[in-house]
Amino acid sequence: MIRENQCYLNMNTIALITDFGLKDNFAGVIKGVCLKINPEASLIDISHGVLPQNILEASFLLLKSFSFFPGGTVFLVVVDPGVGSQRRALAVKTRNFYFVGPDNGVLWQSAAKDGIKKIISLTNKKYFLKEPSSTFHGRDIFAPCASYLSKGMDINKLGNSLNKIKSLCLPMASLENNRLSGEILYIDKFGNLVTNITKSQFLKFTKRRRFRLHIKSRVVNKIYSFYNQALSNNLFLCEGSFGFLEISLREKSAAALLRAKLKDKIIVKV
Amino acid sequence: MIRENQCYLNMNTIALITDFGLKDNFAGVIKGVCLKINPEASLIDISHGVLPQNILEASFLLLKSFSFFPGGTVFLVVVDPGVGSQRRALAVKTRNFYFVGPDNGVLWQSAAKDGIKKIISLTNKKYFLKEPSSTFHGRDIFAPCASYLSKGMDINKLGNSLNKIKSLCLPMASLENNRLSGEILYIDKFGNLVTNITKSQFLKFTKRRRFRLHIKSRVVNKIYSFYNQALSNNLFLCEGSFGFLEISLREKSAAALLRAKLKDKIIVKV
Amino acid sequence: MIRENQCYLNMNTIALITDFGLKDNFAGVIKGVCLKINPEASLIDISHGVLPQNILEASFLLLKSFSFFPGGTVFLVVVDPGVGSQRRALAVKTRNFYFVGPDNGVLWQSAAKDGIKKIISLTNKKYFLKEPSSTFHGRDIFAPCASYLSKGMDINKLGNSLNKIKSLCLPMASLENNRLSGEILYIDKFGNLVTNITKSQFLKFTKRRRFRLHIKSRVVNKIYSFYNQALSNNLFLCEGSFGFLEISLREKSAAALLRAKLKDKIIVKV
């Protein structure tokens, strides 16, 4: 639990995840709205490069980021294909953080992991911008509500309490018929292919025997602790910073070599 | 009018619009210069993705952003094809804000909308970096002057007062021969085509009759309140967050489908 | 030397140079780690667009940026192809700044230019994140150490003192057989080709005589003070904001016209 005294000191970080990109003024305007309400807020971009309307990718980035931030951080997540429709707008208080965004599943896995304390449906128009648009709730509803939370305002003022939010889980690797089956969860900008297999799952399955990982008619059979151990032009596995095994190519893009994309299947055999 | 007391509290946001992109160190160095003068400044990127030297696009983004920022914000706009030539460097005080940038029209529409109180030609070299370059006034002249303003320094110290600045207006839609004619003002990263027709202009013209909007030999004849109402693969109109009608395609890029670009003409008939 | 009193006031800027790009959450997570340790830190992006693992490019951007920042700024540079291997992790105190990053040469030229006071090998695990990964020392080692420095913590606490760091120098132009020979050091986003020839070197060599600069079978023979003096579609030289001569094309990309790349050779004759 956040102690109240501590809150006021640390609560002024607002961290953003959107699919807005950086060419337009969308992210900047959201920050302006936040600063107008809380001039002390520290506004941090986690990513504005989520694939357009890809809720799963945003959910993954949030899950792999939130615990590194100061207690009391407000995560403002705007990946919102249903903007303007009846989908709910949410603020969630968890053990250590606040999460603000649409009720489309994007907040679920992170909020649940940290421990949900309170779910509020953002219905109190007093805390919206005047005359909210139908297409940019990030600016008109989510940003002002997030900023009031960053000032330490009681979350209950933002609307009605709810019992549950829409859930969305990242796909999990599975073990069946002596095969460990998974998929590509994320591709980073270096072209590393982030799988959904953890190193401990992998070691429990392979028991340090020789293995063959199949992806797109290629086989990977080496695992290293860090990139520099690998030979050039050979695909290898490495435990990446997301906590999952990644398929990598030293100083090159594994994604480009394999023409891999999100959700591509992988199978490990021993 | 900004009250002086309030100024000192809120005046430390500096918001940036440039065509520098994010690969180079230009925007970062400008922020370093600002922080060296005012360590309390909150530096916010509106966009560094303006098309190279496109004054009109920068003017549009500024106009559609400034009112969302806290009173006293200094807008630092560096889209400056005439850098080094005789074009003037400006600081403009308006009812609620400050605008700093070249005198090429980019500041005009926003400053005029907020209400111009004072125009200063930046001539006092005391507030420039030492030995300013001929190619990067953003760093050497505009950034330090903006940062002194963000600290609350009197704008009159920066140079001589002027009576007017170069004007530049966004093109307006026009009604003639029973046609409403406009053009594409802006294309956002989702591929929505922002027209220069407001919803009220449109409704006044169509009086809710059936309409046909012509663009590049295609016809759009639907208007919705938000994206999710539309069918896939059908172009439609929607009032976007910039306050203009936009031509959109649900979860896809209208710009890509139409191969549209800035200034493409549109005609609405009933 | 930084005076101690002054330090505490100015020392809270952390400026970042990485090759992480902006799609992933890497830079954002680093900022979260920094703010968790020092909530007062001002986090400034110099560039996250360094070419993957290009130590020389990062070194150039750092060298051309650091002096514009407030005294006491901590420069956090993560271009780190050897992450996880035996390469050392460093914090360097110079006359006015701190530099934190891998010991692969990237910090050398800037630190040496400012005057190195102290070199520390980051070995004190107390200041790392718990259980550091093998692939993301930026998050797990460099960011927390940089943030402790930004709070004013004594650099000696971070590890053992070293006598020297790996050096890496930008290539210098040379004069031989009546030719001034150089190369392309950097290409900015406008397509200006930054050479390693300074204007004073150039003037000392040409003595204001007619000159011919050869690059990729093209000849450039004009030099201007600023871009607007040039004719369209004619390559010209101009002293750029990096302090070197640049090969430019007015309102277009010289790099695209010449299909130029880093390290392309140039020769000046009179």
Side-chain angles (χ1 to χ4, degrees), chain B:
Chain B
M1 264 297 284
I2 307 166
R3 277 159 297 149
E4 288 306 308
N5 291 343
Q6 202 183 324
C7 276
Y8 275 86
L9 281 170
N10 290 328
M11 268 186 66
N12 57 3
T13 299
I14 302 174
L16 288 81
I17 297 181
T18 79
D19 58 357
F20 294 161
L22 291 168
K23 180 190 165 20
D24 304 316
N25 63 341
F26 304 142
V29 163
I30 277 183
K31 292 176 187 175
V33 169
C34 289
L35 286 174
K36 204 165 180 172
I37 290 164
N38 180 9
E40 309 286 311
S42 202
L43 292 149
I44 301 295
D45 299 315
I46 296 178
S47 174
H48 299 292
V50 172
L51 296 171
Q53 295 149 344
N54 194 320
I55 296 167
L56 203 64
E57 194 183 49
S59 174
F60 174 80
L61 286 174
L62 180 61
L63 183 66
K64 294 301 178 181
S65 304
F66 80 85
S67 65
F68 293 98
F69 279 77
T73 294
V74 182
F75 294 94
L76 174 53
V77 185
V78 192
V79 177
D80 193 11
V83 62
S85 71
Q86 293 302 310
R87 70 98 188 85
R88 272 193 285 237
L90 297 178
V92 182
K93 183 177 183 170
T94 65
R95 283 209 318 140
N96 298 291
F97 302 106
Y98 293 92
F99 296 88
V100 174
D103 188 17
N104 59 18
V106 74
L107 306 179
W108 162 251
Q109 206 155 359
S110 298
K113 190 174 178 191
D114 197 52
I116 295 175
K117 294 286 174 187
K118 189 96 197 180
I119 307 167
I120 297 290
S121 174
L122 301 174
T123 51
N124 190 346
K125 291 181 181 175
K126 180 177 162 188
Y127 300 105
F128 298 176
L129 294 198
K130 275 174 211 150
E131 301 175 35
S133 68
S134 299
T135 55
F136 195 6
H137 288 185
R139 176 188 70 192
D140 301 337
I141 296 176
F142 297 124
C145 289
S147 195
Y148 282 111
L149 289 175
S150 80
K151 284 175 83 166
M153 197 185 81
D154 181 355
I155 194 172
N156 291 293
K157 289 188 177 172
L158 294 175
N160 307 316
S161 184
L162 299 174
N163 289 319
K164 60 179 209 152
I165 66 176
K166 201 170 164 188
S167 67
L168 177 77
C169 289
L170 294 170
M172 290 176 64
S174 65
L175 184 60
E176 217 174 344
N177 299 326
N178 264 332
R179 294 163 165 218
L180 185 58
S181 303
E183 64 181 72
I184 302 304
L185 269 192
Y186 188 73
I187 301 174
D188 75 17
K189 92 120 195 189
F190 296 99
N192 297 309
L193 304 171
V194 183
T195 74
N196 59 348
I197 301 173
T198 64
K199 193 169 184 182
S200 66
Q201 275 180 307
F202 179 83
L203 291 177
K204 201 170 149 190
F205 172 65
T206 60
K207 301 194 178 82
R208 299 192 184 274
R209 291 170 292 181
R210 282 203 203 152
F211 70 92
R212 294 167 63 84
L213 179 147
H214 297 262
I215 176 168
K216 300 198 79 177
S217 74
R218 298 283 286 247
V219 172
V220 184
N221 56 15
K222 302 281 183 208
I223 183 165
Y224 297 115
S225 296
F226 54 89
Y227 304 134
N228 254 0
Q229 291 179 314
L231 297 172
S232 293
N233 301 315
N234 280 291
L235 290 166
F236 62 97
L237 290 180
C238 188
E239 185 181 28
S241 61
F242 293 114
F244 291 113
L245 290 183
E246 301 181 9
I247 302 167
S248 296
L249 194 59
R250 186 175 161 192
E251 295 179 25
K252 292 213 183 109
S253 165
L257 181 76
L258 292 170
R259 295 172 190 247
K261 48 188 195 316
L262 296 183
K263 304 198 177 189
D264 279 347
K265 301 298 173 201
I266 48 182
I267 293 172
V268 187
K269 300 178 190 171
V270 285

Side-chain angles (χ1 to χ4, degrees), chain C residues 11 13-18 30 34 58 62 72-80 87-94 97-104 106-108 110-111 118-122 127-128 137-150 153 155 158 165:
Chain C
M11 268 186 68
T13 298
I14 302 173
L16 288 81
I17 297 181
T18 79
I30 277 185
C34 288
L62 180 61
T73 294
V74 182
F75 295 93
L76 174 52
V77 185
V78 192
V79 178
D80 193 11
R87 70 97 188 87
R88 273 194 284 239
L90 297 179
V92 182
K93 182 177 184 170
T94 64
F97 303 105
Y98 292 92
F99 296 87
V100 175
D103 188 18
N104 59 18
V106 73
L107 305 179
W108 161 252
S110 297
K118 189 96 195 181
I119 306 167
I120 297 290
S121 174
L122 302 174
Y127 299 105
F128 298 177
H137 288 185
R139 176 189 70 192
D140 302 336
I141 296 175
F142 297 124
C145 289
S147 196
Y148 283 111
L149 289 176
S150 81
M153 197 185 80
I155 194 171
L158 294 175
I165 66 176

